Amino acid sequence: MKRKIASTLIEREENNSRKPLIVNGVRGIGKTCIISEFGKRYAALVAVLFLLNGLVYFYYGNNTCLTDGTYVYPLDDTYIHLSIAKNVALNNNWGVVHDKFCSTSSAPVYTLILSAVIALFGDSAIYPLLINIFFGNCIIILLFWFFRKNWLAFSCASLFLFTPVMLHIQILGGMEHTLHIFLILAAFMLLYKYLKNKHKKYVFLFLPVAGLLCLTRYESMFFMVPVIFVLVLHRQYKLAAATFVAGFLPVLIFGLYSIRMGGFFFPNSLLMKGDMPFSNGIFFMLKHYAEKIYRNIFPLSFLIVPIAILSYMLIRTFIANKQYNLQGLNIMIKKYSFVFIVFVTILLHGLFADFGWLYRYEAYLLSLLYVSFVVAAVENIKIVKCRFKKRIPSLVSIIFLFVIFSHLTIRSALSHKIMRQAGKNVYDQQIQMSRFLHIYHNESKVMANDIGAITYYTNIDLLDLVGLGSTSVIKYRKEGGDIKKLVTQYPYNQYHVILIYDLWLDIKRKDDYERLGWIKAGELKIENNLVCGSDAVSFYTSEPAMADELRGNLLRFKDMVP
């Protein structure tokens, strides 16, 4: 009898322990399951943060070992941001030199953040790295907030940030792309949350983020267009209007300010890369953009594979709804607005912009695409047909595993090779050029075609032959002028110290530079070049009386070169 009572008590205890408990919204069996779910979420967060910062620390250490203990950015462009920020903070001038306005930066918000930090804490080249580390970690925390109920989705989305997005490389590059990824993901997530439950708190957060987006990277306008369209489809007319104002008004204000100061509406960098072949006729324009889409998007498997999977899922959803008209299309777009926004953003970027160097131009697109894919996987697109619904997980898993591992081996290997050498290349070339100018020609009139480090570390009066840092050169090039003729005209022939890549001006022999009235004093050549415009930088002068002085300075500087 006692054994029977004891057995009954044990069975009751076991039954009670099996009852589902709900604590903080987590449903599980007993305390063990609750702690396990909680632990998985935060263990995933800690692991991702550790991996991100560990990769940054690894490449930082590798970089400083090759550059005499100083971190050198893998692109000279980072120093352009630093140069403008320093002049804004210390000289109250927006430009790469201290006394001439030039709308050089294509990311005014990022440059202003840098200038604020310089104004508060003094000048230092390490700030872009520190700012990017901060926003890189904010991206991970943002993902954790968005996928807080699904640690596996958070882990997958985070993995895609390492490859193919290469978040650690965006951080180490010191450019604005890390901030851009953070802001565009924040805008995407807040809009997604708002369209799901219409809570106004998301609107109050979304609009300020939208206000920063386009001046962080002008490519954000490609994102704003489908966002406004989707809001109109959802009959959120006031929010659509507010989003339009928040997104484009800052661009208008900064553009008008630039024109007032003698520049153009858009920054010089956008005008240099602009692609508007309208003057050649409609058929040439259509052919040109069709070729550009094919060249930019179709060869990239890390874009095409998720796009193809999402498209297939959407098409099957459209068919399942059995409304083969505009109304059915409208219903599908409204239901899966987040996919539509990403697709249109990629299309517009492919038409009017480029995919580029060190994986940075496409980084925000890949972030949007892969986060939206994870969202679609979590929601499972809620297909009506059960048969298709059961097939999705296995199909997605197989294709995505292939994409992940292919990029872990190929794309990551290429990035590793570049990052191990890029800082060394910039240190051996751009940093040494700036050291030479700082020591011997710190306030001289200098002509150059790679302008970041030499303007940040010196007080030179610059003429940028590419036009990025000189508005007059951009105007001359827009009018069809020849740069070789420009350098011989007054007052440009008064820039007596000239540092250029011969290849960029098609200088192949002695006669080519003598026709420009230049005298060659020497050149700086680097080894194992992966990121610089050319292996060799040539040093010229247009003033015969300076030729011997320049040669002598180069000989003295030779002993200081690594």
Side-chain angles (χ1 to χ4, degrees):
M1 186 71 179
K2 289 182 179 180
R3 288 180 181 178
K4 189 174 181 180
I5 293 172
S7 175
T8 305
L9 290 173
I10 290 171
E11 286 176 4
R12 287 179 181 177
E13 186 65 26
E14 287 177 350
N15 290 334
N16 289 334
S17 66
R18 290 193 187 101
K19 288 181 180 179
L21 300 178
I22 301 176
V23 179
N24 294 329
V26 179
R27 186 181 181 91
I29 306 299
K31 295 183 179 179
T32 305
C33 216
I34 295 172
I35 295 171
S36 176
E37 186 65 26
F38 178 86
K40 285 177 182 177
R41 293 205 307 270
Y42 284 92
L45 174 62
V46 171
V48 171
L49 290 174
F50 181 80
L51 178 59
L52 176 66
N53 292 284
L55 284 171
V56 171
Y57 180 77
F58 170 78
Y59 285 109
Y60 175 87
N62 175 79
N63 182 295
T64 55
C65 286
L66 299 175
T67 56
D68 292 340
T70 301
Y71 183 75
V72 177
Y73 297 100
L75 290 171
D76 186 60
D77 299 30
T78 308
Y79 296 97
I80 296 177
H81 281 300
L82 279 166
S83 182
I84 301 171
K86 182 181 73 171
N87 285 320
V88 170
L90 305 181
N91 301 311
N92 198 29
N93 177 63
W94 187 274
V96 292
V97 296
H98 68 279
D99 59 349
K100 293 180 182 176
F101 173 86
C102 187
S103 184
T104 307
S105 172
S106 59
V109 168
Y110 181 70
T111 306
L112 285 172
I113 291 173
L114 271 177
S115 65
V117 174
I118 291 173
L120 289 172
F121 303 107
D123 188 19
S124 174
I126 200 64
Y127 294 148
L129 179 62
L130 298 179
I131 291 171
N132 275 7
I133 290 173
F134 172 76
F135 282 110
N137 283 273
C138 286
I139 290 169
I140 302 301
I141 294 170
L142 181 69
L143 280 178
F144 182 75
W145 167 78
F146 187 65
F147 294 112
R148 60 188 178 275
K149 294 182 179 179
N150 191 328
W151 69 270
L152 187 58
F154 163 72
S155 301
C156 290
S158 300
L159 179 61
F160 297 140
L161 287 180
F162 292 102
T163 178
V165 176
M166 301 294 178
L167 180 59
H168 55 292
I169 291 181
Q170 311 308 328
I171 292 172
L172 290 155
M175 297 286 285
E176 70 277 5
H177 303 284
T178 308
L179 171 62
H180 188 213
I181 293 170
F182 171 74
L183 289 175
I184 207 157
L185 285 181
F188 175 83
M189 292 172 183
L190 290 167
L191 182 65
Y192 176 86
K193 294 282 189 182
Y194 175 73
L195 293 177
K196 285 290 181 183
N197 57 34
K198 300 297 188 297
H199 202 297
K200 289 187 178 180
K201 69 178 181 181
Y202 296 120
V203 172
F204 295 136
L205 294 171
F206 170 76
L207 290 176
V209 172
L212 295 172
L213 261 177
C214 291
L215 284 188
T216 299
R217 287 288 297 180
Y218 281 78
E219 288 95 328
S220 299
M221 290 188 285
F222 304 145
F223 173 76
M224 299 303 295
V225 170
V227 164
I228 293 169
F229 180 79
V230 162
L231 288 172
V232 171
L233 278 183
H234 283 268
R235 298 186 178 182
Q236 300 291 316
Y237 302 119
K238 291 182 179 179
L239 181 56
T243 301
F244 179 84
V245 172
F248 293 101
L249 183 60
V251 174
L252 176 64
I253 293 172
F254 187 81
L256 293 176
Y257 166 72
S258 178
I259 291 172
R260 182 174 177 272
M261 298 299 293
F264 298 96
F265 185 84
F266 289 112
N268 292 0
S269 55
L270 266 66
L271 297 175
M272 287 167 52
K273 301 170 187 174
D275 194 13
M276 298 291 179
F278 297 123
S279 60
N280 296 316
I282 184 68
F283 293 107
F284 177 84
M285 182 183 73
L286 292 174
K287 178 177 177 290
H288 170 81
Y289 284 122
E291 290 175 349
K292 192 166 185 184
I293 284 290
Y294 178 80
R295 184 175 66 251
N296 279 343
I297 296 178
F298 281 89
L300 305 178
S301 61
F302 50 82
L303 273 173
I304 286 299
V305 170
I307 287 174
I309 296 172
L310 282 172
S311 299
Y312 179 65
M313 296 165 79
L314 292 178
I315 290 169
R316 289 300 297 264
T317 306
F318 180 71
I319 294 172
N321 288 334
K322 296 181 179 180
Q323 287 185 283
Y324 312 118
N325 50 31
L326 288 177
Q327 184 179 359
L329 184 64
N330 183 25
I331 292 170
M332 188 185 70
I333 292 174
K334 286 175 68 175
K335 192 172 183 180
Y336 307 117
S337 299
F338 64 98
V339 177
F340 173 78
I341 289 170
V342 174
F343 278 9
V344 174
T345 304
I346 293 172
L347 176 64
L348 292 176
H349 186 103
L351 285 171
F352 301 110
D354 289 313
F355 295 80
W357 197 227
L358 278 183
Y359 318 110
R360 55 199 178 113
Y361 295 133
E362 70 267 25
Y364 82 101
L365 294 175
L366 293 171
S367 302
L368 283 173
L369 178 61
Y370 280 85
V371 167
S372 68
F373 193 97
V374 173
V375 172
V378 170
E379 292 190 352
N380 205 19
I381 305 298
K382 297 181 180 178
I383 302 297
V384 175
K385 299 293 183 181
C386 295
R387 186 187 306 171
F388 177 65
K389 190 173 182 180
K390 291 177 181 178
R391 291 176 183 174
I392 289 178
S394 59
L395 175 68
V396 170
S397 300
I398 292 170
I399 297 177
F400 247 63
L401 283 174
F402 171 77
V403 173
I404 291 169
F405 285 113
S406 66
H407 286 93
L408 281 172
T409 54
I410 299 173
R411 193 168 168 88
S412 298
L414 290 173
S415 68
H416 176 72
K417 180 181 178 182
I418 292 172
M419 290 305 295
R420 282 184 64 86
Q421 188 63 28
K424 172 68 172 169
N425 289 160
V426 174
Y427 178 72
D428 288 347
Q429 189 175 94
Q430 278 80 14
I431 298 299
Q432 301 312 314
M433 290 161 58
S434 64
R435 288 181 63 207
F436 173 79
L437 291 174
H438 180 76
I439 294 170
Y440 300 108
H441 303 278
N442 192 43
E443 297 184 356
S444 300
K445 287 180 173 292
V446 176
M447 199 180 289
N449 54 14
D450 223 352
I451 65 168
I454 65 172
T455 53
Y456 175 63
Y457 287 111
T458 71
N459 294 318
I460 60 172
D461 183 359
L462 174 76
L463 180 69
D464 178 12
L465 294 181
V466 174
L468 188 65
S470 299
T471 302
S472 59
V473 174
I474 284 284
K475 291 179 178 178
Y476 187 80
R477 291 182 64 181
K478 282 174 66 68
E479 294 169 358
D482 185 0
I483 293 298
K484 290 185 177 182
K485 291 182 180 179
L486 177 72
V487 300
T488 62
Q489 299 173 3
Y490 180 83
Y492 304 115
N493 60 3
Q494 302 299 308
Y495 288 79
H496 299 315
V497 180
I498 304 161
L499 285 68
I500 63 162
Y501 301 130
D502 287 345
L503 185 65
W504 289 18
L505 265 70
D506 198 28
I507 295 175
K508 300 177 181 177
R509 56 183 68 88
K510 186 176 180 181
D511 291 345
D512 293 333
Y513 63 77
E514 284 185 343
R515 275 195 289 268
L516 301 175
W518 294 353
I519 302 167
K520 189 168 185 176
E523 66 179 21
L524 172 68
K525 192 169 185 179
I526 65 173
E527 298 177 344
N528 303 317
N529 178 35
L530 293 178
V531 297
C532 296
S534 176
D535 295 346
V537 178
S538 294
F539 290 69
Y540 296 99
T541 181
S542 58
E543 177 57 50
M546 284 188 61
D548 290 337
E549 178 187 352
L550 187 59
R551 287 194 190 99
N553 291 338
L554 284 170
L555 286 171
R556 284 186 286 273
F557 186 68
K558 184 178 179 181
D559 296 332
M560 307 179 195
V561 174

